[in-house]
Amino acid sequence: MMEDWQKLYASKLVTADDAVKHIPNGSRVFFGHAANEPPVLVDALVRNYEQFQNLEIVHWVPMGKGEYCQPKMAGHMRHNAMFVGGATRKAVQEGRADYTPFFYHQSTRFFSDGTFPIDVALISVTPPDQHGYVSLGVSVGGTKPAALNAKLVIAQVNDQMPRTMGDSFLHISQLSCCVEASTPLPELGGGVIGATEEAIGRNIAGLVEDGSTLQLGIGTIPDAVLKFLEDKKDLGIHSEMFSDGVVDLYEKGIITGANKTLDKGKMVAAFLMGSKKLYDFVDNHPDVLMKTVDYVNNPAVICQNPKVVAINSCLQVDFNGQVNSESMGAKQFSGIGGQLDYVRGAAMCPDGKAILAMPSTAKHGEVSRIVPVFEPGTTVTTTRTDAHYIVTEYGVANLRGKSLRQRAKLLIEIAHPKFREQLWAAYRERYGGED
Ligand code: COA
């Protein structure tokens, strides 16, 4: 058997330029999510762009160069983002690329039921183990379902990809062709945790009880929270993603997963994004369980653990408690990601808490992020009916069970002091007084 898979593997090895020649015109081409993007395959696609007509390039968080978004790619390839990031934002905002919203946990179904079929998957994997299995490493959640549903799967076999446990594995017989290339994984530089983020972190930490199961979203704030959890006990992780901060708390014995009822003792995630320290930590780590998004991000699964605390960032909140986490007016800035999956999962957990946090101001203090109404075209990521805790550096507003009038008051109380008078004026105009 051993010899069989080795022969099979050898027969699938090609160069990157030869591998991309197999991609038919008009294909929807999926890139491995976040740090799973295979740079050598993407570079070959971009280098040979004139060979192709009408490719649709789809992926979530971009961590590569985004060169397929250049104006000269028109007619050859066009990006359709499932999440927008720095490398792709300009193209989406200028109309040269698209954005398609869907719940992350439903993507598995959409890849297989004809809603959003995948023709080709370009993925990164570890070298095969002694049984002929490769691991998808740091990104399994949506990458594995896309690979399983694609007609053509091209893999960059990268010996720098950590081998993670869980649903991470594909057999080499499931790969169409392989390109061996050793490249470092992209690292996510942690944002600067300043006084504002620290105050937000402290406010959120006050809501986290011993034995909670945490989900941590994207951005500086989730990292800031972890700094203030050092006096907690037996925290667990069931999270779409996690980053370096979790490693420190695990090593200090604060994250044990001992109170979890589902995957007890394991840190469950769909993908990982951080520094080399994180990537080294998860390599062959038996307590890190990588799973697909129909499980990790499914609200009906999320709610099964005790004391679920979902911690995510947002850009703006209006007086009613509508939350925008993904647009600047009508311009797409990021994406829904797993935000609502976790807000709803936490809401379905009897002692769960959904926390959405942001600094009280943006643009170097020039604008309030708490506003009476959104600008036309603004996306509502989390509806007012879903909103639970809103946190800024000035405090915590628990909107659940509160009237629209009460919500506006609670939100003004956590707005930046320099904007409160103008917010109260808007409140009086809407509700006739300050009571
Ligand atoms: N008006 C104008 N500009 C604003 C603004 C507003 N209301 N709110 C934010 N900005 C600006 C900021 O000033 C900042 O600009 P800078 O980079 O020049 O300083 C920029 O927009 C980014 O804002 P910031 O709050 O620093 O973003 P972040 O990196 O912390 O990310 C989200 C926050 C909300 C974009 C990000 O968490 C996200 O995409 N969330 C949705 C998906 C999600 O929650 N997934 C969770 C599961 S993993």
Side-chain angles (χ1 to χ4, degrees):
M1 278 302 282
M2 173 89 135
E3 209 180 304
D4 283 352
W5 76 253
Q6 283 173 335
K7 270 193 201 144
L8 186 64
Y9 180 58
S11 73
K12 291 183 184 229
L13 289 174
V14 290
T15 65
D17 288 310
D18 283 342
V20 299
K21 278 186 194 146
H22 295 285
I23 300 174
N25 286 333
S27 297
R28 176 176 283 150
V29 183
F30 173 94
F31 290 177
H33 176 36
N36 189 282
E37 182 177 317
V40 164
L41 301 181
V42 174
D43 285 352
L45 197 69
V46 167
R47 185 164 61 239
N48 295 296
Y49 74 98
E50 283 169 319
Q51 281 179 26
F52 302 106
Q53 258 88 58
N54 297 323
L55 298 184
E56 182 189 348
I57 307 295
V58 301
H59 59 72
W60 283 286
V61 176
M63 288 188 80
K65 295 174 276 189
E67 289 173 331
Y68 42 89
C69 291
Q70 293 168 18
K72 71 176 184 189
M73 298 291 163
H76 300 289
M77 51 191 84
R78 183 177 170 95
H79 178 41
N80 180 4
M82 300 186 278
F83 193 92
V84 177
T88 55
R89 189 169 292 130
K90 191 164 183 283
V92 173
Q93 294 187 349
E94 289 178 358
R96 288 181 287 107
D98 303 298
Y99 171 73
T100 300
F102 49 77
F103 291 118
Y104 199 19
H105 78 276
Q106 290 176 341
S107 56
T108 306
R109 170 149 62 90
F110 294 165
F111 291 158
S112 64
D113 71 0
T115 304
F116 200 85
I118 303 295
D119 299 310
V120 180
L122 304 187
I123 59 173
S124 301
V125 299
T126 61
D129 62 17
Q130 68 270 38
H131 306 292
Y133 283 88
V134 297
S135 167
L136 288 159
V138 294
S139 173
V140 170
T143 306
K144 184 164 183 183
L148 290 179
N149 284 289
K151 297 182 201 91
L152 183 72
V153 183
I154 307 177
Q156 177 180 335
V157 179
N158 185 358
D159 61 6
Q160 298 191 49
M161 176 61 78
R163 180 175 183 272
T164 59
M165 307 295 184
D167 288 341
S168 321
F169 298 98
L170 290 171
H171 190 261
I172 51 132
S173 57
Q174 294 171 293
L175 308 176
S176 314
C177 52
C178 300
V179 178
E180 288 183 336
S182 180
T183 52
L185 261 53
E187 297 186 42
L188 184 74
V192 181
I193 301 179
T196 302
E197 289 74 19
E198 288 207 348
I200 295 170
R202 228 178 261 116
N203 287 339
I204 296 176
L207 295 169
V208 177
E209 297 169 37
D210 291 343
S212 293
T213 307
L214 304 182
Q215 176 258 333
L216 302 150
I218 291 182
T220 315
I221 289 172
D223 276 346
V225 178
L226 293 168
K227 282 180 68 176
F228 297 98
L229 297 179
E230 301 213 344
D231 59 341
K232 310 287 177 189
K233 289 191 189 67
D234 288 327
L235 299 179
I237 298 289
H238 181 109
S239 185
E240 175 180 326
M241 62 158 286
F242 66 79
S243 195
D244 291 38
V246 161
V247 179
D248 298 333
L249 288 184
Y250 174 87
E251 285 175 346
K252 287 178 180 158
I254 292 154
I255 291 176
T256 63
N259 200 39
K260 286 176 85 178
T261 43
L262 206 59
D263 308 311
K264 202 184 244 319
K266 305 282 183 200
M267 293 186 278
V268 174
F271 74 98
L272 306 160
M273 225 166 37
S275 72
K276 186 157 186 314
K277 172 180 156 184
L278 173 74
Y279 303 149
D280 288 344
F281 170 79
V282 300
D283 188 34
N284 278 316
H285 203 304
D287 285 345
V288 177
L289 196 63
M290 302 298 289
K291 305 281 273 182
T292 51
V293 282
D294 50 327
Y295 180 84
V296 186
N297 274 44
N298 186 337
V301 173
I302 294 165
C303 68
Q304 291 178 39
N305 271 307
K307 298 184 188 172
V308 172
V309 182
I311 303 166
N312 291 293
S313 308
C314 58
L315 295 173
Q316 273 181 313
V317 181
D318 80 359
F319 271 7
N320 288 349
Q322 301 193 99
V323 181
N324 161 30
S325 307
E326 55 180 309
S327 81
M328 301 279 176
K331 290 194 166 162
Q332 192 68 35
F333 182 80
S334 57
I336 182 168
Q339 181 164 120
L340 210 49
D341 294 343
Y342 276 92
V343 165
R344 291 188 172 159
M348 286 160 66
C349 170
D351 44 11
K353 295 173 184 169
I355 299 168
L356 290 161
M358 60 182 184
S360 63
T361 63
K363 289 192 174 169
H364 309 289
E366 280 170 34
V367 298
S368 173
R369 297 205 197 204
I370 290 175
V371 291
V373 289
F374 287 148
E375 191 186 313
T378 301
T379 303
V380 174
T381 310
T382 294
T383 73
R384 64 188 189 179
T385 318
D386 288 298
H388 191 187
Y389 290 97
I390 306 294
V391 176
T392 71
E393 69 274 30
Y394 291 101
V396 176
N398 179 357
L399 304 186
R400 187 175 280 175
K402 304 295 193 308
S403 69
L404 297 182
R405 196 167 51 82
Q406 289 170 322
R407 286 164 177 241
K409 280 162 97 171
L410 289 170
L411 289 166
I412 295 170
E413 282 161 13
I414 62 163
H416 193 287
K418 74 179 177 186
F419 291 108
R420 285 186 200 162
E421 190 36 54
Q422 77 188 58
L423 292 169
W424 279 120
Y427 176 95
R428 285 191 293 272
E429 198 179 310
R430 190 177 300 184
Y431 293 112
E434 285 192 18
D435 296 329

